[in-house]
Amino acid sequence: MFQKEQQLIEDKIKEFCQANDIALAELKWQSIPFAGEWGFSTSFFQTAANEAKRGKGAQVPVPQKAQEIAKQVRGQIGSVEGIGHIEAVKGYLNVYFKTSDYARRVVDETLASGADFGRGAPKAETVMVEYAQPNTHHSFHIGHARNTILGESLARLVEFAGFKTIRASYPGDLGLGVITVMWIYDKFYKGQEPEGVHERGQWLLKLYAEATAMLEKKENETPEETAKREGYEAERREMYRKWDAGDPSVRELWKTTRDWSLEELRDILAMLDVNIDVWFYESEVDEPSKSIVDELIQKGIAEDERADGGPVIVKIDEKLGLAKEKYRTAVVLRNDGTSLYLTKDLALAKVKFEQYHVDRSIYVVDFRQSLHFQQAFKILEMWGFPQAEKCYHLSYGYVTLPEGAMSARRGRVALFKEVYAEAARRVLAVEAEKSGNIPAGEREKIASQIGLGALVYSMLSVDNNKDIVFNIDEALSFDGRTGPYIQNAHVRANSILKKSNVTSQTSDVGRSTFDYDLTKQEIELIEQMSQFPQKVQQAAEEYRPLVMAAYAYELANAFHSFYHAVPVLQTGDENVKTARLRLVAAAKQVIANALRLLDIQAPDVM
RNA sequence: GCCCCCGUAGCUCAAUGGACAGAGCAACUGCCUUCUAAGCAGGAGGUUGUGGGUUCGAAUCCCGCCGGGGGCGCCA
């Protein structure tokens, strides 16, 4: 936001150092950690170290030398438009803005840009973010929710940072797990169908758990039990074979049950305000992936061991001549000719780049699949796929329950839908006592916004590579560093504006000059607001919604402090009141923008 | 055996080469006849798992060790 001044000073520093034969290191600008005044700073430690290496002032310790240089530089800069004063402290050069100018610029720019405040300049690249890849014939649990929330927030960040963005979902609609559910349904539950989208979806999960129990080898099985289990297993394999061969009745059963799951998935994505642009399905890349395997065999990359009862494999390490195992050997086709997860990802990459013309492809998938993606991307490279290096696996930690890993087979899962309902229930209980003024009809909607805000924030305020132990009381907490805390700041800002008959949309409350003595709370708030654009870029570049989540809290925190300490409507001075109203409108806007990037709703009342 | 991730306050997490390692929760002290107390203000809490190394400077980078988790030929 203040590149012009920064550039000007940078030029002056360079000029000075050149004239005085000082080996200036690259200038890294950062904000000054102390609150109270705005500015930016740079240090001269590296430059001082450079000088020491050249034998100049070798006796002087680096920090002291850095301070000397900072002092000299400071003396040379003179006055710069918009800059109040400049200090040399502890080896740093601190450049301070004129308070009233800075405040006015931040507030004016925020109100002028509105929902676009912080948006990055358009960039030429198109980025595809693939997330929301639950398996069908299961139900959507809290682990899928983390994946979806992370992917959605990332997509919003990348898009807002200026990239053309395509959101892709890739449900796993085939494989042994899917067939397992179909097998038990066909054998024991044929014709049954629970009422309700979610009931039906969740029922399939129960069938899966039941089927797995039947098919699992038990200790101390009687010969009869073993025979029965082996019979079931043969039936399941046979069904898979029939699916693969395109048997009409099996395909029909598959289509029906698959739709049940997909309906549930679409409903959940709507709750999360996720709008997928492109739907890929494993079943659609199944056939194309097999021809890729043929090609791999022809090119001598893959080895076909099917004649000896083996699968088709790629000995990646061996082909690359690696001494240590790294990529290992990957199976790309079963001995019965059916494809695998890995096989399908080869075909999917091709579709993404060739059909959708993306420049970069991000796969949001938990860290346990790291080897899978390393293998997939490496095989693509060996195959001669030029965009292999543009594929990036965004790995994140997985979600477990306090009692251990979630397990669909054991029926030990925290279903998203149930957590969501519980969240809304808890908010409603709080609303009953605190929000008497909200009409009953509106309360429910707000309750789900706040409840979801808590849940979403708890997922995004942990860095990607950290596992989450899902504790419902912590995830749905409304106090402290939480989603509702940030939403509440938005609500309070709105409350002031409402009482003054000003909204952020009609921000026309007259011009303001901020030429009075600003309180430290106002200064801190404006400081936070001004950082939003760079936080957007950082979060998008690092693929880390956490950066935005942490920022949103800091911003809300600054607003709450301001709200408490600084009167707005009660201010006597009209000029001050006008300026503060504009500040509140601007702050509300930035909070809303930040929440939007986190896929959290910003209600006006709560 | 090989590879990946994690280890920071009692607990959950920030800080990714720079200024005194910061928040929240829990516990403690104050603040609602004043724009919503889902809030604010304050004190307390640390040998950043451990031993070396690189650097003017390391929670951060490199090597070793310890502890926890995950992955490693026909699951997804």
Side-chain angles (χ1 to χ4, degrees), chain A residues 34 92 328 334 434 485 492 495 544:
Chain A
F34 301 109
Y92 289 82
R328 324 232 166 200
R334 290 194 184 90
K434 299 192 180 186
Y485 176 93
R492 287 176 134 189
S495 173
R544 287 170 71 214

PDB file of all heavy atoms in Angstrom, chain A residues 34 92 328 334 434 485 492 495 544, chain B residues 2 15 18 20 36-38 40 74:
ATOM      1  N   PHE A  34       6.853  -2.316  17.280  1.00  0.00           N
ATOM      2  CA  PHE A  34       6.254  -1.537  18.357  1.00  0.00           C
ATOM      3  C   PHE A  34       5.000  -0.812  17.904  1.00  0.00           C
ATOM      4  O   PHE A  34       4.973  -0.183  16.866  1.00  0.00           O
ATOM      5  CB  PHE A  34       7.261  -0.525  18.898  1.00  0.00           C
ATOM      6  CG  PHE A  34       8.485  -1.175  19.424  1.00  0.00           C
ATOM      7  CD1 PHE A  34       9.678  -1.059  18.746  1.00  0.00           C
ATOM      8  CD2 PHE A  34       8.441  -1.937  20.574  1.00  0.00           C
ATOM      9  CE1 PHE A  34      10.821  -1.679  19.217  1.00  0.00           C
ATOM     10  CE2 PHE A  34       9.574  -2.564  21.055  1.00  0.00           C
ATOM     11  CZ  PHE A  34      10.776  -2.439  20.375  1.00  0.00           C
ATOM     12  N   TYR A  92      18.496  -0.889  13.145  1.00  0.00           N
ATOM     13  CA  TYR A  92      17.372  -0.795  12.231  1.00  0.00           C
ATOM     14  C   TYR A  92      17.138   0.655  11.838  1.00  0.00           C
ATOM     15  O   TYR A  92      17.390   1.571  12.629  1.00  0.00           O
ATOM     16  CB  TYR A  92      16.087  -1.298  12.881  1.00  0.00           C
ATOM     17  CG  TYR A  92      16.044  -2.779  13.081  1.00  0.00           C
ATOM     18  CD1 TYR A  92      16.666  -3.372  14.176  1.00  0.00           C
ATOM     19  CD2 TYR A  92      15.389  -3.595  12.169  1.00  0.00           C
ATOM     20  CE1 TYR A  92      16.638  -4.736  14.366  1.00  0.00           C
ATOM     21  CE2 TYR A  92      15.349  -4.965  12.355  1.00  0.00           C
ATOM     22  CZ  TYR A  92      15.974  -5.534  13.446  1.00  0.00           C
ATOM     23  OH  TYR A  92      15.937  -6.877  13.622  1.00  0.00           O
ATOM     24  N   ARG A 328      10.238 -46.333  -4.720  1.00  0.00           N
ATOM     25  CA  ARG A 328       9.905 -47.759  -4.647  1.00  0.00           C
ATOM     26  C   ARG A 328       9.314 -48.266  -5.960  1.00  0.00           C
ATOM     27  O   ARG A 328       9.475 -47.675  -6.992  1.00  0.00           O
ATOM     28  CB  ARG A 328       8.907 -48.029  -3.523  1.00  0.00           C
ATOM     29  CG  ARG A 328       9.146 -47.169  -2.343  1.00  0.00           C
ATOM     30  CD  ARG A 328       9.254 -47.929  -1.089  1.00  0.00           C
ATOM     31  NE  ARG A 328       9.819 -47.028  -0.102  1.00  0.00           N
ATOM     32  CZ  ARG A 328      10.395 -47.425   0.995  1.00  0.00           C
ATOM     33  NH1 ARG A 328      10.501 -48.699   1.239  1.00  0.00           N
ATOM     34  NH2 ARG A 328      10.902 -46.566   1.835  1.00  0.00           N
ATOM     35  N   ARG A 334      -3.842 -54.146 -11.632  1.00  0.00           N
ATOM     36  CA  ARG A 334      -3.959 -55.437 -10.954  1.00  0.00           C
ATOM     37  C   ARG A 334      -3.788 -56.562 -11.972  1.00  0.00           C
ATOM     38  O   ARG A 334      -3.945 -56.357 -13.168  1.00  0.00           O
ATOM     39  CB  ARG A 334      -5.335 -55.577 -10.301  1.00  0.00           C
ATOM     40  CG  ARG A 334      -5.577 -54.683  -9.106  1.00  0.00           C
ATOM     41  CD  ARG A 334      -6.834 -55.173  -8.372  1.00  0.00           C
ATOM     42  NE  ARG A 334      -7.178 -54.290  -7.268  1.00  0.00           N
ATOM     43  CZ  ARG A 334      -7.995 -53.231  -7.379  1.00  0.00           C
ATOM     44  NH1 ARG A 334      -8.546 -52.924  -8.542  1.00  0.00           N
ATOM     45  NH2 ARG A 334      -8.257 -52.497  -6.332  1.00  0.00           N
ATOM     46  N   LYS A 434     -28.820 -14.386  25.170  1.00  0.00           N
ATOM     47  CA  LYS A 434     -28.129 -13.135  24.866  1.00  0.00           C
ATOM     48  C   LYS A 434     -28.721 -12.315  23.726  1.00  0.00           C
ATOM     49  O   LYS A 434     -28.403 -11.143  23.578  1.00  0.00           O
ATOM     50  CB  LYS A 434     -26.668 -13.420  24.522  1.00  0.00           C
ATOM     51  CG  LYS A 434     -25.932 -14.057  25.657  1.00  0.00           C
ATOM     52  CD  LYS A 434     -24.450 -14.069  25.415  1.00  0.00           C
ATOM     53  CE  LYS A 434     -23.787 -14.730  26.603  1.00  0.00           C
ATOM     54  NZ  LYS A 434     -22.332 -14.674  26.540  1.00  0.00           N
ATOM     55  N   TYR A 485     -15.705 -15.034  17.749  1.00  0.00           N
ATOM     56  CA  TYR A 485     -15.036 -13.823  18.238  1.00  0.00           C
ATOM     57  C   TYR A 485     -14.862 -12.820  17.089  1.00  0.00           C
ATOM     58  O   TYR A 485     -15.091 -11.621  17.255  1.00  0.00           O
ATOM     59  CB  TYR A 485     -13.675 -14.207  18.823  1.00  0.00           C
ATOM     60  CG  TYR A 485     -12.814 -13.054  19.281  1.00  0.00           C
ATOM     61  CD1 TYR A 485     -12.850 -12.615  20.599  1.00  0.00           C
ATOM     62  CD2 TYR A 485     -11.937 -12.418  18.400  1.00  0.00           C
ATOM     63  CE1 TYR A 485     -12.050 -11.575  21.034  1.00  0.00           C
ATOM     64  CE2 TYR A 485     -11.134 -11.372  18.816  1.00  0.00           C
ATOM     65  CZ  TYR A 485     -11.195 -10.948  20.134  1.00  0.00           C
ATOM     66  OH  TYR A 485     -10.402  -9.915  20.547  1.00  0.00           O
ATOM     67  N   ARG A 492     -20.481  -6.021  16.001  1.00  0.00           N
ATOM     68  CA  ARG A 492     -20.379  -4.793  16.793  1.00  0.00           C
ATOM     69  C   ARG A 492     -20.145  -3.579  15.888  1.00  0.00           C
ATOM     70  O   ARG A 492     -20.709  -2.501  16.142  1.00  0.00           O
ATOM     71  CB  ARG A 492     -19.234  -4.929  17.796  1.00  0.00           C
ATOM     72  CG  ARG A 492     -19.558  -5.862  18.933  1.00  0.00           C
ATOM     73  CD  ARG A 492     -18.364  -6.037  19.823  1.00  0.00           C
ATOM     74  NE  ARG A 492     -18.726  -5.921  21.233  1.00  0.00           N
ATOM     75  CZ  ARG A 492     -17.849  -5.865  22.224  1.00  0.00           C
ATOM     76  NH1 ARG A 492     -16.562  -5.895  21.966  1.00  0.00           N
ATOM     77  NH2 ARG A 492     -18.243  -5.760  23.466  1.00  0.00           N
ATOM     78  N   SER A 495     -23.328  -2.717  14.413  1.00  0.00           N
ATOM     79  CA  SER A 495     -24.232  -2.145  15.402  1.00  0.00           C
ATOM     80  C   SER A 495     -24.041  -0.629  15.525  1.00  0.00           C
ATOM     81  O   SER A 495     -25.008   0.131  15.606  1.00  0.00           O
ATOM     82  CB  SER A 495     -23.980  -2.844  16.734  1.00  0.00           C
ATOM     83  OG  SER A 495     -24.703  -2.234  17.752  1.00  0.00           O
ATOM     84  N   ARG A 544      -1.423 -21.314   2.662  1.00  0.00           N
ATOM     85  CA  ARG A 544      -1.698 -21.475   4.088  1.00  0.00           C
ATOM     86  C   ARG A 544      -2.836 -20.588   4.581  1.00  0.00           C
ATOM     87  O   ARG A 544      -2.602 -19.445   4.979  1.00  0.00           O
ATOM     88  CB  ARG A 544      -0.440 -21.187   4.891  1.00  0.00           C
ATOM     89  CG  ARG A 544       0.602 -22.280   4.794  1.00  0.00           C
ATOM     90  CD  ARG A 544       1.893 -21.820   5.412  1.00  0.00           C
ATOM     91  NE  ARG A 544       1.819 -21.728   6.855  1.00  0.00           N
ATOM     92  CZ  ARG A 544       2.477 -20.811   7.564  1.00  0.00           C
ATOM     93  NH1 ARG A 544       3.222 -19.924   6.972  1.00  0.00           N
ATOM     94  NH2 ARG A 544       2.368 -20.801   8.859  1.00  0.00           N
TER      95      ARG A 544
ATOM     96  P     C B   2      18.142 -47.409   7.434  1.00  0.00           P
ATOM     97  OP1   C B   2      19.506 -46.902   7.211  1.00  0.00           O
ATOM     98  OP2   C B   2      17.435 -47.165   8.700  1.00  0.00           O
ATOM     99  O5'   C B   2      17.220 -46.901   6.239  1.00  0.00           O
ATOM    100  C5'   C B   2      17.681 -46.959   4.894  1.00  0.00           C
ATOM    101  C4'   C B   2      16.554 -46.629   3.959  1.00  0.00           C
ATOM    102  O4'   C B   2      15.488 -47.606   4.120  1.00  0.00           O
ATOM    103  C3'   C B   2      15.846 -45.308   4.245  1.00  0.00           C
ATOM    104  O3'   C B   2      16.564 -44.199   3.729  1.00  0.00           O
ATOM    105  C2'   C B   2      14.515 -45.524   3.536  1.00  0.00           C
ATOM    106  O2'   C B   2      14.639 -45.422   2.137  1.00  0.00           O
ATOM    107  C1'   C B   2      14.227 -46.983   3.912  1.00  0.00           C
ATOM    108  N1    C B   2      13.405 -47.100   5.137  1.00  0.00           N
ATOM    109  C2    C B   2      12.022 -46.908   5.044  1.00  0.00           C
ATOM    110  O2    C B   2      11.529 -46.644   3.937  1.00  0.00           O
ATOM    111  N3    C B   2      11.260 -47.021   6.155  1.00  0.00           N
ATOM    112  C4    C B   2      11.821 -47.305   7.326  1.00  0.00           C
ATOM    113  N4    C B   2      11.033 -47.395   8.399  1.00  0.00           N
ATOM    114  C5    C B   2      13.232 -47.486   7.460  1.00  0.00           C
ATOM    115  C6    C B   2      13.979 -47.378   6.348  1.00  0.00           C
ATOM    116  P     A B  15       3.234 -19.930  12.163  1.00  0.00           P
ATOM    117  OP1   A B  15       2.869 -19.603  10.776  1.00  0.00           O
ATOM    118  OP2   A B  15       3.751 -21.272  12.488  1.00  0.00           O
ATOM    119  O5'   A B  15       4.276 -18.859  12.709  1.00  0.00           O
ATOM    120  C5'   A B  15       4.056 -17.463  12.505  1.00  0.00           C
ATOM    121  C4'   A B  15       5.077 -16.686  13.285  1.00  0.00           C
ATOM    122  O4'   A B  15       4.951 -17.024  14.687  1.00  0.00           O
ATOM    123  C3'   A B  15       6.535 -17.008  12.944  1.00  0.00           C
ATOM    124  O3'   A B  15       6.963 -16.216  11.854  1.00  0.00           O
ATOM    125  C2'   A B  15       7.253 -16.623  14.224  1.00  0.00           C
ATOM    126  O2'   A B  15       7.477 -15.235  14.301  1.00  0.00           O
ATOM    127  C1'   A B  15       6.233 -17.028  15.291  1.00  0.00           C
ATOM    128  N9    A B  15       6.491 -18.363  15.840  1.00  0.00           N
ATOM    129  C8    A B  15       5.872 -19.538  15.515  1.00  0.00           C
ATOM    130  N7    A B  15       6.327 -20.576  16.175  1.00  0.00           N
ATOM    131  C5    A B  15       7.316 -20.048  16.987  1.00  0.00           C
ATOM    132  C6    A B  15       8.189 -20.624  17.925  1.00  0.00           C
ATOM    133  N6    A B  15       8.198 -21.928  18.226  1.00  0.00           N
ATOM    134  N1    A B  15       9.067 -19.819  18.563  1.00  0.00           N
ATOM    135  C2    A B  15       9.067 -18.517  18.274  1.00  0.00           C
ATOM    136  N3    A B  15       8.285 -17.848  17.407  1.00  0.00           N
ATOM    137  C4    A B  15       7.433 -18.683  16.796  1.00  0.00           C
ATOM    138  P     G B  18      13.729 -13.853  10.574  1.00  0.00           P
ATOM    139  OP1   G B  18      12.739 -14.920  10.577  1.00  0.00           O
ATOM    140  OP2   G B  18      13.430 -12.565   9.920  1.00  0.00           O
ATOM    141  O5'   G B  18      14.141 -13.575  12.086  1.00  0.00           O
ATOM    142  C5'   G B  18      13.591 -12.473  12.737  1.00  0.00           C
ATOM    143  C4'   G B  18      14.684 -11.769  13.514  1.00  0.00           C
ATOM    144  O4'   G B  18      15.949 -11.792  12.804  1.00  0.00           O
ATOM    145  C3'   G B  18      14.339 -10.307  13.768  1.00  0.00           C
ATOM    146  O3'   G B  18      14.619 -10.029  15.123  1.00  0.00           O
ATOM    147  C2'   G B  18      15.301  -9.561  12.814  1.00  0.00           C
ATOM    148  O2'   G B  18      15.677  -8.335  13.364  1.00  0.00           O
ATOM    149  C1'   G B  18      16.487 -10.489  12.757  1.00  0.00           C
ATOM    150  N9    G B  18      17.311 -10.402  11.563  1.00  0.00           N
ATOM    151  C8    G B  18      16.917 -10.545  10.256  1.00  0.00           C
ATOM    152  N7    G B  18      17.925 -10.484   9.417  1.00  0.00           N
ATOM    153  C5    G B  18      19.035 -10.285  10.220  1.00  0.00           C
ATOM    154  C6    G B  18      20.400 -10.151   9.895  1.00  0.00           C
ATOM    155  O6    G B  18      20.931 -10.197   8.786  1.00  0.00           O
ATOM    156  N1    G B  18      21.188  -9.964  11.009  1.00  0.00           N
ATOM    157  C2    G B  18      20.723  -9.915  12.293  1.00  0.00           C
ATOM    158  N2    G B  18      21.622  -9.742  13.244  1.00  0.00           N
ATOM    159  N3    G B  18      19.451 -10.056  12.631  1.00  0.00           N
ATOM    160  C4    G B  18      18.670 -10.233  11.543  1.00  0.00           C
ATOM    161  P     C B  20      15.550  -7.762  21.705  1.00  0.00           P
ATOM    162  OP1   C B  20      15.588  -6.752  22.784  1.00  0.00           O
ATOM    163  OP2   C B  20      16.789  -8.327  21.153  1.00  0.00           O
ATOM    164  O5'   C B  20      14.642  -9.003  22.149  1.00  0.00           O
ATOM    165  C5'   C B  20      14.978  -9.724  23.331  1.00  0.00           C
ATOM    166  C4'   C B  20      13.876  -9.681  24.355  1.00  0.00           C
ATOM    167  O4'   C B  20      13.354  -8.328  24.413  1.00  0.00           O
ATOM    168  C3'   C B  20      12.663 -10.566  24.034  1.00  0.00           C
ATOM    169  O3'   C B  20      12.795 -11.791  24.733  1.00  0.00           O
ATOM    170  C2'   C B  20      11.454  -9.796  24.533  1.00  0.00           C
ATOM    171  O2'   C B  20      11.011 -10.272  25.778  1.00  0.00           O
ATOM    172  C1'   C B  20      11.985  -8.358  24.731  1.00  0.00           C
ATOM    173  N1    C B  20      11.280  -7.381  23.868  1.00  0.00           N
ATOM    174  C2    C B  20      10.250  -6.608  24.440  1.00  0.00           C
ATOM    175  O2    C B  20       9.967  -6.781  25.626  1.00  0.00           O
ATOM    176  N3    C B  20       9.603  -5.709  23.674  1.00  0.00           N
ATOM    177  C4    C B  20       9.937  -5.559  22.387  1.00  0.00           C
ATOM    178  N4    C B  20       9.263  -4.665  21.677  1.00  0.00           N
ATOM    179  C5    C B  20      10.978  -6.331  21.773  1.00  0.00           C
ATOM    180  C6    C B  20      11.615  -7.229  22.554  1.00  0.00           C
ATOM    181  P     U B  36     -24.934  -1.526  20.591  1.00  0.00           P
ATOM    182  OP1   U B  36     -24.252  -1.452  19.299  1.00  0.00           O
ATOM    183  OP2   U B  36     -26.316  -2.050  20.686  1.00  0.00           O
ATOM    184  O5'   U B  36     -24.035  -2.393  21.591  1.00  0.00           O
ATOM    185  C5'   U B  36     -24.447  -2.608  22.924  1.00  0.00           C
ATOM    186  C4'   U B  36     -24.216  -4.066  23.291  1.00  0.00           C
ATOM    187  O4'   U B  36     -24.901  -4.924  22.339  1.00  0.00           O
ATOM    188  C3'   U B  36     -22.745  -4.494  23.275  1.00  0.00           C
ATOM    189  O3'   U B  36     -22.492  -5.267  24.447  1.00  0.00           O
ATOM    190  C2'   U B  36     -22.653  -5.382  22.028  1.00  0.00           C
ATOM    191  O2'   U B  36     -21.693  -6.405  22.171  1.00  0.00           O
ATOM    192  C1'   U B  36     -24.039  -5.986  22.006  1.00  0.00           C
ATOM    193  N1    U B  36     -24.449  -6.504  20.703  1.00  0.00           N
ATOM    194  C2    U B  36     -24.620  -7.878  20.630  1.00  0.00           C
ATOM    195  O2    U B  36     -24.457  -8.634  21.579  1.00  0.00           O
ATOM    196  N3    U B  36     -25.001  -8.326  19.390  1.00  0.00           N
ATOM    197  C4    U B  36     -25.205  -7.572  18.269  1.00  0.00           C
ATOM    198  O4    U B  36     -25.538  -8.128  17.243  1.00  0.00           O
ATOM    199  C5    U B  36     -25.001  -6.156  18.437  1.00  0.00           C
ATOM    200  C6    U B  36     -24.639  -5.689  19.617  1.00  0.00           C
ATOM    201  P     A B  37     -21.176  -4.957  25.324  1.00  0.00           P
ATOM    202  OP1   A B  37     -21.564  -4.067  26.429  1.00  0.00           O
ATOM    203  OP2   A B  37     -20.119  -4.535  24.407  1.00  0.00           O
ATOM    204  O5'   A B  37     -20.793  -6.346  25.987  1.00  0.00           O
ATOM    205  C5'   A B  37     -20.030  -7.299  25.268  1.00  0.00           C
ATOM    206  C4'   A B  37     -19.895  -8.562  26.108  1.00  0.00           C
ATOM    207  O4'   A B  37     -19.055  -8.266  27.255  1.00  0.00           O
ATOM    208  C3'   A B  37     -21.216  -9.054  26.668  1.00  0.00           C
ATOM    209  O3'   A B  37     -21.204 -10.481  26.725  1.00  0.00           O
ATOM    210  C2'   A B  37     -21.219  -8.513  28.083  1.00  0.00           C
ATOM    211  O2'   A B  37     -21.979  -9.281  28.988  1.00  0.00           O
ATOM    212  C1'   A B  37     -19.729  -8.594  28.434  1.00  0.00           C
ATOM    213  N9    A B  37     -19.365  -7.630  29.460  1.00  0.00           N
ATOM    214  C8    A B  37     -19.254  -6.277  29.356  1.00  0.00           C
ATOM    215  N7    A B  37     -18.916  -5.681  30.471  1.00  0.00           N
ATOM    216  C5    A B  37     -18.800  -6.720  31.375  1.00  0.00           C
ATOM    217  C6    A B  37     -18.476  -6.760  32.738  1.00  0.00           C
ATOM    218  N6    A B  37     -18.190  -5.679  33.455  1.00  0.00           N
ATOM    219  N1    A B  37     -18.451  -7.958  33.347  1.00  0.00           N
ATOM    220  C2    A B  37     -18.725  -9.035  32.635  1.00  0.00           C
ATOM    221  N3    A B  37     -19.050  -9.136  31.350  1.00  0.00           N
ATOM    222  C4    A B  37     -19.066  -7.935  30.772  1.00  0.00           C
ATOM    223  P     A B  38     -21.850 -11.324  25.560  1.00  0.00           P
ATOM    224  OP1   A B  38     -22.440 -10.397  24.587  1.00  0.00           O
ATOM    225  OP2   A B  38     -22.675 -12.345  26.227  1.00  0.00           O
ATOM    226  O5'   A B  38     -20.632 -12.052  24.863  1.00  0.00           O
ATOM    227  C5'   A B  38     -19.809 -12.938  25.588  1.00  0.00           C
ATOM    228  C4'   A B  38     -19.070 -13.821  24.625  1.00  0.00           C
ATOM    229  O4'   A B  38     -20.052 -14.530  23.827  1.00  0.00           O
ATOM    230  C3'   A B  38     -18.218 -13.024  23.644  1.00  0.00           C
ATOM    231  O3'   A B  38     -17.068 -13.790  23.274  1.00  0.00           O
ATOM    232  C2'   A B  38     -19.122 -12.876  22.423  1.00  0.00           C
ATOM    233  O2'   A B  38     -18.424 -12.742  21.217  1.00  0.00           O
ATOM    234  C1'   A B  38     -19.882 -14.208  22.454  1.00  0.00           C
ATOM    235  N9    A B  38     -21.192 -14.143  21.817  1.00  0.00           N
ATOM    236  C8    A B  38     -22.072 -13.114  21.753  1.00  0.00           C
ATOM    237  N7    A B  38     -23.161 -13.364  21.094  1.00  0.00           N
ATOM    238  C5    A B  38     -22.992 -14.675  20.686  1.00  0.00           C
ATOM    239  C6    A B  38     -23.782 -15.539  19.938  1.00  0.00           C
ATOM    240  N6    A B  38     -24.975 -15.208  19.454  1.00  0.00           N
ATOM    241  N1    A B  38     -23.308 -16.774  19.703  1.00  0.00           N
ATOM    242  C2    A B  38     -22.121 -17.114  20.191  1.00  0.00           C
ATOM    243  N3    A B  38     -21.273 -16.389  20.912  1.00  0.00           N
ATOM    244  C4    A B  38     -21.775 -15.170  21.124  1.00  0.00           C
ATOM    245  P     C B  40     -11.710  -8.923  23.790  1.00  0.00           P
ATOM    246  OP1   C B  40     -10.787  -8.736  22.662  1.00  0.00           O
ATOM    247  OP2   C B  40     -11.564 -10.088  24.674  1.00  0.00           O
ATOM    248  O5'   C B  40     -11.679  -7.625  24.702  1.00  0.00           O
ATOM    249  C5'   C B  40     -11.694  -6.334  24.129  1.00  0.00           C
ATOM    250  C4'   C B  40     -11.608  -5.311  25.223  1.00  0.00           C
ATOM    251  O4'   C B  40     -12.673  -5.539  26.177  1.00  0.00           O
ATOM    252  C3'   C B  40     -10.347  -5.386  26.064  1.00  0.00           C
ATOM    253  O3'   C B  40      -9.281  -4.714  25.436  1.00  0.00           O
ATOM    254  C2'   C B  40     -10.800  -4.690  27.346  1.00  0.00           C
ATOM    255  O2'   C B  40     -10.855  -3.295  27.189  1.00  0.00           O
ATOM    256  C1'   C B  40     -12.218  -5.225  27.485  1.00  0.00           C
ATOM    257  N1    C B  40     -12.293  -6.436  28.325  1.00  0.00           N
ATOM    258  C2    C B  40     -12.211  -6.300  29.719  1.00  0.00           C
ATOM    259  O2    C B  40     -12.058  -5.155  30.198  1.00  0.00           O
ATOM    260  N3    C B  40     -12.296  -7.397  30.502  1.00  0.00           N
ATOM    261  C4    C B  40     -12.461  -8.594  29.948  1.00  0.00           C
ATOM    262  N4    C B  40     -12.543  -9.648  30.767  1.00  0.00           N
ATOM    263  C5    C B  40     -12.542  -8.765  28.532  1.00  0.00           C
ATOM    264  C6    C B  40     -12.455  -7.672  27.766  1.00  0.00           C
ATOM    265  P     C B  74       0.191 -55.406  -2.555  1.00  0.00           P
ATOM    266  OP1   C B  74       0.392 -54.643  -1.329  1.00  0.00           O
ATOM    267  OP2   C B  74       0.419 -56.870  -2.565  1.00  0.00           O
ATOM    268  O5'   C B  74      -1.270 -55.181  -3.092  1.00  0.00           O
ATOM    269  C5'   C B  74      -1.652 -53.923  -3.643  1.00  0.00           C
ATOM    270  C4'   C B  74      -2.237 -54.141  -5.014  1.00  0.00           C
ATOM    271  O4'   C B  74      -1.270 -54.813  -5.841  1.00  0.00           O
ATOM    272  C3'   C B  74      -3.433 -55.072  -5.034  1.00  0.00           C
ATOM    273  O3'   C B  74      -4.601 -54.346  -4.789  1.00  0.00           O
ATOM    274  C2'   C B  74      -3.429 -55.565  -6.466  1.00  0.00           C
ATOM    275  O2'   C B  74      -4.101 -54.679  -7.322  1.00  0.00           O
ATOM    276  C1'   C B  74      -1.937 -55.564  -6.834  1.00  0.00           C
ATOM    277  N1    C B  74      -1.358 -56.911  -6.919  1.00  0.00           N
ATOM    278  C2    C B  74      -1.904 -57.827  -7.817  1.00  0.00           C
ATOM    279  O2    C B  74      -2.881 -57.501  -8.489  1.00  0.00           O
ATOM    280  N3    C B  74      -1.364 -59.059  -7.915  1.00  0.00           N
ATOM    281  C4    C B  74      -0.314 -59.386  -7.170  1.00  0.00           C
ATOM    282  N4    C B  74       0.184 -60.612  -7.308  1.00  0.00           N
ATOM    283  C5    C B  74       0.266 -58.472  -6.249  1.00  0.00           C
ATOM    284  C6    C B  74      -0.281 -57.251  -6.152  1.00  0.00           C
TER     285        C B  74
END
